[in-house]
Amino acid sequence: MRLRGLLMALTVVVILVAFAGFVLLALWEQPGQLPSVSELVTYFVLVIGLAVALYLGFQRVVRVFVQYVQAFHDLSLDEAEGLVNRLLYSSRHPGSMGVLLRVQAGQVDLDGPAVVHKVGGPAFLNVDHDSVVVTSRLGYLHRVLGPGGHPLEPFERVWDVVDLRPQRRTVVVDFMTRDGIPASCQATIVCSIAGPESVTVGLEHKTHNAAYLDYADDAILQVSTSKFVKRVDSGYRVNDWVVGMSGALESVIRDTLEQYTLDEFLNPQYWLEEDEGRPRSAAAPKLVSELEEAIERDIKAVGRERGVSVIRVEMGTVRPAEEAISRQWLEFWQAKLQKRVDRYAMQAEVTRAELAVFARVEVRVDFLNRVLERLQSLHGQGIDIPGELVVSTITEVLQTMHRRGSETERALYPSMEKVESLARAVKIIQADEDVDALDDVGSEQAPSLTVDED
Amino acid sequence: MTVVRVGLLVIYAVSSYVLSRYLRDHLPSSSHTFVPAWMRSWRALVWVWGPTLWFFPGILWIGVLELPALQILLLSVCLPLTCYVVFMLAGGLFPLSSSASASDKQTSIVTVVVVALVTGYSLLNALLTPELSLIRFAVFVATVLSPPMLSIASLLQWISEVVPVGRHQERPVRRALMMLFGFFSTFPKTTWVVEDGTVHTRVEGNQFAGAGPGWLMTEPENTVILKAGPKVTRVAGPGVALTKRAESPFKIIDLRNQMRTTQINAITRDGIEVSVSVSSLFRVNRGYGEIILDESWPYRHQRDIFGVAFSEEVDPTGKSPLEANTAYPWGDLPLQIAAHRMEQAISFYSLDQLYSGITDPIGALDEGDPQFQLLKIHRQVEKALGLPRAEGLGDPLTRTTIGKLVERAVRQALEPRGFEILSGGIGDKITPLNQDVTAKRVEAWKSRFILKVMDWQAKMQRRRFAKLEDLRQSARDTMLDSMIKEIQKYVGAADEGAWRDYVAYHLLDDLIRMARNPDVQEMLPESALPTLEGIYAQVRGEEEFQDR
């Protein structure tokens, strides 16, 4: 275009020079004759008149273009003049464009020249290191422009901007467990445009290495053109590729988690058994890390189909939505706490039991001392002690102690039953009853002072 | 005369400047009265080149050229005019085509011939003037013709840069010229641009001329159905399209992927009302086409575009009388079909089945398998939705299977109408509408949970009791065993009197054992145990004596 403009200007100059020469010849056909002042003025008037006419003829065309462009693209007069000038005279040099549009951080500078947004080039497009631009020209997708400076062709517009930086989105996935309990899980996806090694579609694998943010043209075109138009209340909204990946992640997580019951995610009983070193009767809950691995694998496959590289997926824990569940777990936790309290109580009981044993020993010593007190004097005098006396002495001591209270009895005999059976036995002996009666006692409960081993 | 000439030059410069400044802020407006086609061309000519005051360079030659002033004036006007007319004739800017009316054709021809005759006559007359210097005349003619020639050359040079007529157009320069001159004829060609999915009229066509011919440009992702009067003519775009006479945009079809979601209420077979999120992903059928740079956004066939556009349905339900006849957009159709199919499908399942699934697709084929029933229901739904039998219906989630079945039903209904169904189904969790249902399920879970905990506690308790009981039993057995042995030992005694000593002996034995207890022994006098043993020996001796 620049060349054409130069040619046009050259043509005008040539016409003018030629015309000046021919007018000279036409006015002074006789060589050697000097022109008068009047003739010189006429000469210059004719030449200037032609120059003005040429300028007006040329300028009128430009003005016609300006007026047409102004109406055609709905521009202001200044914008239209600028556009026509660029269309007619600009070269590919940034300086000659006069209009610069910046693209950075994944978006076009909205404060940039309106005419470039509306009509497009010629203009100079400056794409920052973190962005890639897809352009359109007259209803066709035209080029994929990576980081750097690019002259935009006439009517070439920015159609889409793709951010090369890794994108992170966090979603809360609501789902129903297999046993019908509403639950949720928070997850994060980090993804970016697929590099050349990840692209599996397309014919041409034109790749670039823009500093550390690598990309493939095919992947850019794919993510740009695979957006979904969604109807919302106020009209339509276009979901970009990151929203698409978040949606895919949500779907994969829901499809995975809904295959399990709530207890398979969170099972306090299992961990209680684990803590107490008991054999595990409860099912082992699913570890989030295991699920995360499977989900990441699935979402990476989805990403490959869409020209997106999934860098990582992070999952939080599964939380039941219902308050009742949490309350139940609280109750379980309370029960666990109660168990500890019970353990303390049992320990106190043991201490008490130990004291009781000690008391029992004391009572026994007292009992033995009393029996010995009575029998020792006779034995010391060398008198033979008959069995009958032994029995009556013991019975007497027992009766004496019996009057002291139930504690003594319990200390000596584990149960009153035994005391009673012993008393009956003594009575039998004293009354010299029939041997058969003793058989009955023996069969019922052997008279014994045997105490618990403890 | 020289002064007059200089004055004319000044007037020329000043008047052209003033005219240019004036016209700079005044765009041609559409005529409010009917103007015949032949006259529009002349209007355009005057609007485009009139402000150049093309006759001025010629009249500067009055007094220089050996011709009368009037003749010079006539030549100054007619020669450039002829030049412009020839250019416009060549460019098809006069209504001489077959589509033009006969009167327009005739009048155009007459006017052009008149100009040609006047110019021819003037030229001839001048050339026949005997005192005319031919070289001066030649320079004069060059002076008069070079500005229009330059202007025309510039126009031809740049018109295609300024007026985009798109690719694949025949005679693009001529078409661009028609657009440009149409604009300046006060009967402009209508210009439409599709932006953000809606048609914007950039240059309004004249009301007398009707819609087309005109110029239309879409975004890369849109295509437009054109209509001429009541007749649907063709699909234009994506890209730039020149419309024919009477053609105007009727409907824009977005070729991008579309997504629609809605929430519906359905009832399970056990009477539970559930809320289900239905989603549908679709687009105009792309066939095997791929999106490639510098190529049109693909669609399979023009028939698909028409199919999609004319599938729009009118439903006055819930609309005001004014909007009652408005059709729902074509993009709503997949979801509407999906919603009803979804309701039908869900009515086959119980609530529990909605949350279950087939974890073992092969095992589910066995009638004895509990999953067989679910697979059977899937088959019933498939049949009820009028779908051909598919190979596998065993998804781990019933929700997924229902989604796939509904997607197939929607595909079956809409693919013949130009839709390409990409996916669809249930986009979110299935939630019972009544909160009590969820509360009950939670209660059920609680019961199961408590039962499990109780089971576990009871198991532990049972184990402890069993162990304790074992120990007790063992102790009891040992004690009874020793007692029985002891008693049996003495039961054989012959003497009845021995029974007294028997009790005493045992009582003493117990006392000794008690005294031997280390805790007790510690607290007894040292003589206690020997004394007890002595008495024990004595009683035992008597017993032995009595035995003997």
Side-chain angles (χ1 to χ4, degrees):
Chain A
M1 274 181 288
R2 178 83 167 173
L3 187 67
R4 280 196 243 170
L6 283 172
L7 276 173
M8 199 61 76
L10 194 66
T11 310
V12 173
V13 172
V14 169
I15 290 172
L16 264 180
V17 172
F19 177 76
F22 281 117
V23 171
L24 207 62
L25 285 174
L27 288 183
W28 296 284
E29 288 173 0
Q30 302 298 323
Q33 187 186 350
L34 284 173
S36 64
V37 176
S38 166
E39 285 172 333
L40 273 176
V41 170
T42 301
Y43 172 75
F44 283 114
V45 165
L46 292 178
V47 173
I48 291 168
L50 181 67
V52 171
L54 287 173
Y55 171 76
L56 286 176
F58 176 76
Q59 191 56 35
R60 184 60 199 154
V61 170
V62 175
R63 182 54 52 193
V64 161
F65 285 153
V66 168
Q67 288 191 322
Y68 182 75
V69 161
Q70 191 182 349
F72 191 79
H73 297 296
D74 193 19
L75 301 174
S76 70
L77 180 62
D78 291 339
E79 286 173 339
E81 282 177 342
L83 177 63
V84 169
N85 284 334
R86 287 196 302 279
L87 284 169
L88 302 188
Y89 312 125
S90 70
S91 70
R92 295 175 64 84
H93 190 267
S96 75
M97 304 273 184
V99 180
L100 176 72
L101 182 66
R102 289 178 198 279
V103 174
Q104 52 192 1
Q107 54 186 343
V108 186
D109 177 15
L110 294 175
D111 295 330
V115 69
V116 184
H117 287 295
K118 210 167 186 176
V119 184
F124 196 74
L125 184 72
N126 193 359
V127 184
D128 210 356
H129 71 283
D130 52 12
S131 307
V132 178
V133 170
V134 179
T135 65
S136 71
R137 185 171 185 272
L138 300 174
Y140 294 94
L141 295 179
H142 189 49
R143 289 192 289 173
V144 174
L145 302 174
H150 308 277
L152 286 179
E153 293 172 17
F155 309 108
E156 187 180 13
R157 296 165 65 181
V158 174
W159 186 72
D160 191 25
V161 180
V162 178
D163 197 333
L164 289 176
R165 296 171 299 176
Q167 301 290 314
R168 184 172 61 204
R169 297 289 184 277
T170 300
V171 291
V172 176
V173 184
D174 291 321
F175 67 98
M176 283 284 193
T177 61
R178 207 174 183 86
D179 43 353
I181 293 168
S184 65
C185 175
Q186 198 180 59
T188 300
I189 183 170
V190 182
C191 52
S192 64
I193 295 297
E197 75 289 344
S198 312
V199 179
T200 56
V201 294
L203 299 171
E204 193 185 357
H205 286 233
K206 195 175 166 190
T207 61
H208 305 269
N209 197 342
Y212 297 101
L213 302 172
D214 209 0
Y215 69 94
D217 279 358
D218 283 346
I220 296 289
L221 191 62
Q222 195 176 7
V223 297
S224 273
T225 55
S226 60
K227 292 175 179 178
F228 277 92
V229 181
K230 192 176 178 182
R231 190 169 187 194
V232 290
D233 294 338
S234 54
Y236 293 92
R237 190 179 64 208
V238 180
N239 286 346
D240 68 5
W241 63 275
V242 191
V243 176
M245 286 306 293
S246 308
L249 175 71
E250 214 173 302
S251 178
V252 168
I253 289 179
R254 188 175 294 114
D255 287 353
T256 307
L257 299 187
E258 286 199 347
Q259 294 178 32
Y260 303 99
T261 60
L262 184 63
D263 287 345
E264 287 177 278
F265 296 120
L266 296 157
N267 198 344
Q269 190 188 334
Y270 174 85
W271 296 113
L272 177 73
E273 288 179 7
E274 169 98 355
D275 290 347
E276 296 191 347
R278 289 196 178 115
R280 292 169 189 172
S281 59
K286 292 275 164 198
L287 294 175
V288 171
S289 55
E290 286 172 24
L291 294 169
E292 192 180 83
E293 206 175 306
I295 286 166
E296 189 169 335
R297 200 169 45 242
D298 290 350
I299 198 71
K300 277 186 173 171
V302 174
R304 271 194 296 277
E305 287 170 14
R306 299 186 181 186
V308 176
S309 166
V310 177
I311 298 166
R312 65 177 191 275
V313 171
E314 294 160 0
M315 279 178 67
T317 52
V318 171
R319 292 161 189 265
E322 289 294 314
E323 197 190 329
I325 306 289
S326 310
R327 207 180 317 130
Q328 185 59 36
W329 281 334
L330 181 68
E331 282 169 19
F332 183 71
W333 176 79
Q334 281 174 335
K336 280 203 295 184
L337 195 70
Q338 187 61 41
K339 211 164 163 20
R340 282 187 203 155
V341 173
D342 288 350
R343 203 175 290 159
Y344 293 137
M346 275 170 66
Q347 208 139 14
E349 190 70 23
V350 168
T351 311
R352 192 168 155 268
E354 282 172 0
L355 287 171
V357 168
F358 181 69
R360 215 177 293 164
V361 168
E362 278 186 333
V363 169
R364 284 174 188 175
V365 169
D366 184 34
F367 170 72
L368 283 169
N369 278 335
R370 279 168 190 267
V371 172
L372 282 170
E373 200 179 314
R374 293 181 186 213
L375 294 178
Q376 216 165 14
S377 57
L378 295 172
H379 185 67
Q381 290 166 16
I383 300 168
D384 285 346
I385 299 167
E388 204 172 349
L389 183 64
V390 172
V391 174
S392 64
T393 302
I394 290 171
T395 315
E396 204 176 312
V397 171
L398 271 176
Q399 281 171 344
T400 310
M401 291 183 78
H402 184 64
R403 283 194 290 272
R404 284 177 62 192
S406 59
E407 274 301 315
T408 314
E409 288 161 21
R410 278 204 295 275
L412 287 168
Y413 304 102
S415 68
M416 280 306 291
E417 209 180 337
K418 285 186 177 178
V419 178
E420 281 164 12
S421 65
L422 180 67
R424 243 187 309 152
V426 171
K427 273 179 199 167
I428 291 165
I429 293 163
Q430 283 174 341
D432 198 7
E433 282 178 3
D434 197 61
V435 179
D436 294 341
L438 191 63
D439 284 345
D440 291 343
V441 173
S443 65
E444 199 179 333
Q445 179 72 51
S448 170
L449 288 179
T450 310
V451 291
D452 293 345
E453 288 304 314
D454 58 348
Chain B
M1 192 60 204
T2 307
V3 177
V4 175
R5 196 170 288 121
V6 171
L8 277 174
L9 180 65
V10 172
I11 290 169
Y12 177 39
V14 171
S15 59
S16 62
Y17 175 76
V18 170
L19 203 59
S20 170
R21 294 299 299 176
Y22 173 78
L23 290 175
R24 187 172 181 265
D25 300 325
H26 290 80
L27 292 176
S29 59
S30 190
S31 174
H32 297 293
T33 53
F34 180 75
V35 180
W38 64 271
M39 197 181 281
R40 293 176 213 158
S41 304
W42 286 104
R43 276 190 179 195
L45 190 153
V46 172
W47 188 280
V48 172
W49 284 295
T52 58
L53 304 173
W54 70 74
F55 50 90
F56 258 106
I59 60 173
L60 293 177
W61 283 76
I62 294 173
V64 179
L65 200 65
E66 299 84 357
L67 284 174
L70 191 64
Q71 201 170 351
I72 291 175
L73 181 64
L74 201 62
L75 283 169
S76 302
V77 172
C78 288
L79 277 174
L81 187 62
T82 309
C83 189
Y84 293 136
V85 168
V86 169
F87 166 71
M88 287 177 72
L89 273 173
L93 301 173
F94 276 100
L96 298 173
S97 63
S98 55
S99 60
S101 69
S103 64
D104 282 336
K105 274 190 209 171
Q106 286 164 7
T107 317
S108 298
I109 290 167
V110 168
T111 53
V112 169
V113 168
V114 167
V115 170
L117 285 174
V118 172
T119 310
Y121 169 75
S122 306
L123 270 176
L124 197 64
N125 200 21
L127 288 172
L128 292 175
T129 306
E131 58 274 17
L132 180 69
S133 159
L134 280 178
I135 189 164
R136 282 191 185 186
F137 186 70
V139 174
F140 165 77
V141 171
T143 304
V144 172
L145 286 181
S146 57
M149 297 291 272
L150 179 74
S151 189
I152 289 168
S154 309
L155 195 65
L156 288 172
Q157 182 75 26
W158 282 314
I159 183 92
S160 55
E161 304 289 344
V162 179
V163 184
V165 288
R167 292 182 289 175
H168 317 303
Q169 290 289 347
E170 289 174 11
R171 297 188 287 183
V173 174
R174 186 171 177 164
R175 288 180 183 276
L177 282 171
M178 288 174 86
M179 293 291 300
L180 187 77
F181 279 79
F183 176 69
F184 290 101
S185 70
T186 68
F187 269 64
K189 313 281 184 199
T190 318
T191 303
W192 298 278
V193 175
V194 179
E195 277 179 344
D196 301 324
T198 49
V199 177
H200 298 268
T201 306
R202 284 282 171 78
V203 178
E204 190 79 53
N206 191 286
Q207 56 184 328
F208 296 103
W215 184 91
L216 170 75
M217 188 177 81
T218 73
E219 292 162 313
E221 67 272 21
N222 293 322
T223 189
V224 179
I225 295 176
L226 298 176
K227 203 175 160 189
K231 192 181 170 191
V232 173
T233 53
R234 62 189 171 111
V235 175
V240 174
L242 297 176
T243 59
K244 293 175 188 163
R245 182 173 293 276
E247 266 186 347
S248 64
F250 164 61
K251 189 174 279 295
I252 296 161
I253 304 294
D254 193 336
L255 298 173
R256 288 176 294 183
N257 301 334
Q258 305 288 319
M259 180 163 74
R260 300 288 185 274
T261 54
T262 191
Q263 205 73 23
I264 63 154
N265 296 341
I267 296 180
T268 62
R269 74 173 187 198
D270 44 358
I272 308 290
E273 204 174 357
V274 289
S275 170
V276 183
S277 168
V278 186
S279 64
S280 188
L281 279 75
F282 58 94
R283 65 185 175 210
V284 173
N285 205 323
R286 201 177 274 179
Y288 296 106
E290 279 187 13
I291 297 170
I292 299 168
L293 291 175
D294 279 323
E295 292 287 335
S296 184
W297 198 293
Y299 58 87
R300 192 173 58 173
H301 198 274
Q302 183 169 274
R303 191 178 54 242
D304 292 328
I305 302 287
F306 287 136
V308 163
F310 295 109
S311 62
E312 292 187 345
E313 294 164 353
V314 178
D315 181 5
T317 314
K319 288 182 178 173
S320 67
L322 281 174
E323 296 172 330
N325 291 324
T326 314
Y328 279 95
W330 62 273
D332 287 359
L333 197 60
L335 206 56
Q336 278 176 353
I337 292 173
H340 290 123
R341 294 282 184 265
M342 187 66 75
E343 276 188 63
Q344 288 172 19
I346 282 177
S347 67
F348 279 79
Y349 300 88
S350 69
L351 186 65
D352 286 336
Q353 284 170 335
L354 286 182
Y355 297 130
S356 63
I358 295 174
T359 46
D360 177 14
I362 297 177
L365 298 172
D366 182 10
E367 279 194 37
D369 195 293
Q371 298 175 108
F372 178 77
Q373 190 58 28
L374 191 59
L375 188 63
K376 203 172 147 189
I377 295 172
H378 290 337
R379 289 289 175 207
Q380 284 172 353
V381 175
E382 189 179 46
K383 197 176 171 188
L385 296 179
L387 299 169
R389 194 180 164 88
E391 275 302 309
L393 286 179
D395 292 295
L397 292 172
T398 303
R399 178 172 64 78
T400 314
T401 308
I402 295 174
K404 285 180 183 170
L405 288 169
V406 170
E407 183 193 322
R408 282 170 57 201
V410 174
R411 185 172 290 134
Q412 186 173 277
L414 291 180
E415 278 199 346
R417 292 155 91 170
F419 286 80
E420 184 180 350
I421 307 297
L422 301 173
S423 71
I426 301 173
D428 205 341
K429 62 179 180 180
I430 299 172
T431 320
L433 278 182
N434 192 334
Q435 280 296 311
D436 288 348
V437 175
T438 307
K440 286 287 171 203
R441 296 190 78 86
V442 171
E443 285 299 319
W445 174 84
K446 277 172 76 173
S447 308
R448 285 200 302 274
F449 186 81
I450 291 167
L451 205 66
K452 269 190 205 166
V453 172
M454 281 172 67
D455 252 7
W456 164 70
Q457 282 176 338
K459 205 188 285 173
M460 293 290 132
Q461 204 73 304
R462 274 202 301 276
R463 205 177 289 159
R464 206 172 69 187
F465 282 146
K467 200 169 182 180
L468 198 64
E469 193 54 36
D470 283 352
L471 287 170
R472 276 183 186 153
Q473 190 62 43
S474 157
R476 204 175 292 140
D477 288 350
T478 313
M479 190 190 77
L480 282 173
D481 197 37
S482 67
M483 287 291 293
I484 288 164
K485 276 182 187 166
E486 202 69 15
I487 289 166
Q488 279 176 345
K489 197 172 159 188
Y490 294 104
V491 162
D495 193 353
E496 289 177 6
W499 288 108
R500 289 175 200 144
D501 293 330
Y502 173 77
V503 174
Y505 164 71
H506 273 284
L507 285 172
L508 280 169
D509 186 41
D510 284 342
L511 288 180
I512 288 166
R513 271 198 282 156
M514 196 187 289
R516 276 180 183 160
N517 182 313
D519 292 338
V520 176
Q521 199 174 0
E522 248 178 39
M523 298 168 77
L524 285 172
E526 282 182 5
S527 61
L529 195 59
T531 306
L532 284 173
E533 283 171 347
I535 297 168
Y536 176 79
Q538 193 185 331
V539 172
R540 192 180 168 85
E542 278 179 18
E543 198 181 349
E544 281 170 6
F545 173 74
Q546 280 175 6
D547 289 346
R548 279 194 298 274

